[in-house]
Amino acid sequence: MNRINTLFQIKYPIIQGGMIWNSGWRLASAVSNAGGLGLIGSGSMYPDVLAEHISKCKKATNKPFGVNVPLMYPAIESHMENIIRLGVKIVFTSAGSPKTWTEILQKEGIQVVHVVSSVKFALKSQEAGVDAVVAEGFEAGGHNGREETTTLSLIPDVAHHIDIPLLAAGGITTGSQMLAAMILGADGVQIGTRFAATHEASSHDLFKEQIVLAKEGTTQLTLKELAPVRLIKNEFWQKIQDAYQNGATIEDLQALLGRGRAKKGMFEGDLVEGELEIGQGAALIHEIKSAQQVVDDLIMEFNSALKQIPASF
Ligand code: NDP
């Protein structure tokens, strides 16, 4: 029996990443109904908005679902209060120390998974008592690790160092990549980019079209001095590069970024001035589909890739 399926009581070890401005109740419930685990991305939601999404998700699915909480979220206590009060059973934390919330949530009967981008933080997460770890490589969209370790290098290394269940993330868009990640030692996968290009994602249609148009080299990791983030190379991205050329300080970069760029790009569809956070896997996406179709495709591709592996050489 697969450890992730057993842990979360789901059919397939496919977790939909909780992406800001993309992952509301509609996407999370659709992925859970399709046999994976849907996550509500709470980082872009005010506490009352999160409460509404949790309530709607509970009505839309009787399958397990969870909430992703970036630990740097400004009103984190209110988010956690809502999560506990509304009976959420699974929380994925990211961007912060797993020591702060793991025990508190687990005492409430909540399973906790922490997202890391290095072996060092995978070990810290295990020490903090989390139920599983997501190891996310350099290919991933949005906020990312500083070490630039790719998924291919990260997963076997983390798998070697920890005993708890491991989910691979970063660049996984197809079933063959899912199989590859599991051969490298992961028990399952967390997929963001592929689920951002679905009908159920809450992001703007213009952003979804950009995902479909993306090719190899369309995205780049930038703003390492603030928080490293992988973006589509649009006009805003170019402004960042120009600022670097002109010797911008951290304060200059902060001023250029301002506030709400991610909302502008992904939610409001401002393709010029907004941040368009997406992973390298976008190059492999050619169509906007339903979440159910994405899960079905992943499983079909996984099984067909498995048949192509020679039994021995
Ligand atoms: P900004 O500081 O640029 O803007 C804050 C945005 O978050 C605004 O658009 C605001 O909406 C919305 N928001 C939701 N709840 C609150 C709140 N309680 N206080 C203030 N603003 C809130 O941040 P970003 O857009 O870059 O990031 C937003 C959040 O998402 C952060 O908490 C960050 O931790 C997280 N994040 C996580 C990523 C990941 O990969 N895990 C990637 C990027 C961000 P409004 O405009 O309606 O006021």
Side-chain angles (χ1 to χ4, degrees), residues 20-21 43-47 70 72-75 94 142-143 258-263 275 277:
I20 58 165
W21 301 116
S44 50
M45 296 176 178
Y46 282 92
M72 72 224 261
Y73 180 77
S94 52
H143 285 198
R259 183 177 178 276
R261 288 263 181 197
K263 180 183 186 182
E275 264 188 314
E277 300 181 9

Side-chain angles (χ1 to χ4, degrees), residues 45-47 69-70 72-82 101:
M45 296 176 178
Y46 282 92
V69 186
M72 72 224 261
Y73 180 77
I76 189 141
E77 278 83 9
S78 305
H79 264 6
M80 294 307 192
E81 258 171 50
N82 278 327
W101 282 96

Side-chain angles (χ1 to χ4, degrees), residues 3-259:
R3 291 202 289 177
I4 290 295
N5 291 351
T6 307
L7 183 65
F8 300 132
Q9 295 295 299
I10 53 177
K11 190 170 175 193
Y12 305 123
I14 297 172
I15 317 301
Q16 162 252 311
M19 303 163 281
I20 58 165
W21 301 116
N22 286 273
S23 321
W25 68 272
R26 234 179 261 280
L27 179 58
S29 59
V31 174
S32 289
N33 283 333
L37 181 75
L39 298 184
I40 296 172
S42 75
S44 50
M45 296 176 178
Y46 282 92
D48 57 327
V49 176
L50 174 62
E52 190 186 325
H53 278 258
I54 294 171
S55 299
K56 286 187 173 166
C57 201
K58 280 165 90 174
K59 287 198 185 107
T61 183
N62 55 12
K63 302 269 168 47
F65 72 92
V67 176
N68 171 272
V69 186
L71 295 172
M72 72 224 261
Y73 180 77
I76 189 141
E77 278 83 9
S78 305
H79 264 6
M80 294 307 192
E81 258 171 50
N82 278 327
I83 283 167
I84 294 167
R85 180 175 57 84
L86 294 168
V88 172
K89 295 277 173 252
I90 303 166
V91 168
F92 278 48
T93 54
S94 52
S97 169
K99 283 191 188 149
T100 327
W101 282 96
T102 301
E103 205 182 322
I104 299 170
L105 295 172
Q106 285 175 336
K107 276 197 181 135
E108 300 290 339
I110 297 171
Q111 293 173 314
V112 181
V113 181
H114 194 63
V115 183
V116 302
S117 55
S118 66
V119 170
K120 184 174 153 193
F121 284 105
L123 282 166
K124 283 197 169 180
S125 304
Q126 180 168 266
E127 267 169 43
V130 300
D131 296 279
V133 159
V134 176
E136 186 179 81
F138 174 68
E139 299 93 323
H143 285 198
N144 206 310
R146 290 182 187 278
E147 307 300 339
E148 303 197 351
T149 311
T150 63
T151 304
L152 193 69
S153 301
L154 182 65
I155 300 310
D157 209 355
V158 173
H160 175 72
H161 282 89
I162 64 169
D163 305 316
I164 57 177
L166 169 62
L167 290 155
I172 301 166
T173 307
T174 66
S176 58
Q177 291 170 307
M178 175 177 163
L179 175 63
M182 292 178 73
I183 289 175
L184 292 173
D187 298 284
V189 290
Q190 177 176 284
I191 296 179
T193 295
R194 186 65 195 89
F195 285 113
T198 57
H199 302 303
E200 293 91 343
S202 55
S203 41
H204 199 284
D205 282 348
L206 289 174
F207 172 61
K208 295 182 194 178
E209 282 168 22
Q210 290 299 301
I211 303 174
V212 172
L213 291 172
K215 308 233 174 335
E216 185 273 319
T218 294
T219 70
Q220 198 182 57
L221 191 72
T222 189
L223 290 178
K224 281 196 202 162
E225 296 77 1
L226 305 179
V229 62
R230 179 173 296 286
L231 302 174
I232 288 180
K233 297 173 178 171
N234 65 349
E235 281 84 344
F236 171 61
W237 172 87
Q238 187 57 53
K239 279 188 189 170
I240 302 169
Q241 309 318 304
D242 294 345
Y244 280 125
Q245 285 290 326
N246 296 328
T249 61
I250 291 185
E251 290 73 29
D252 294 337
L253 293 172
Q254 191 67 64
L256 177 58
L257 177 62
R259 183 177 178 276

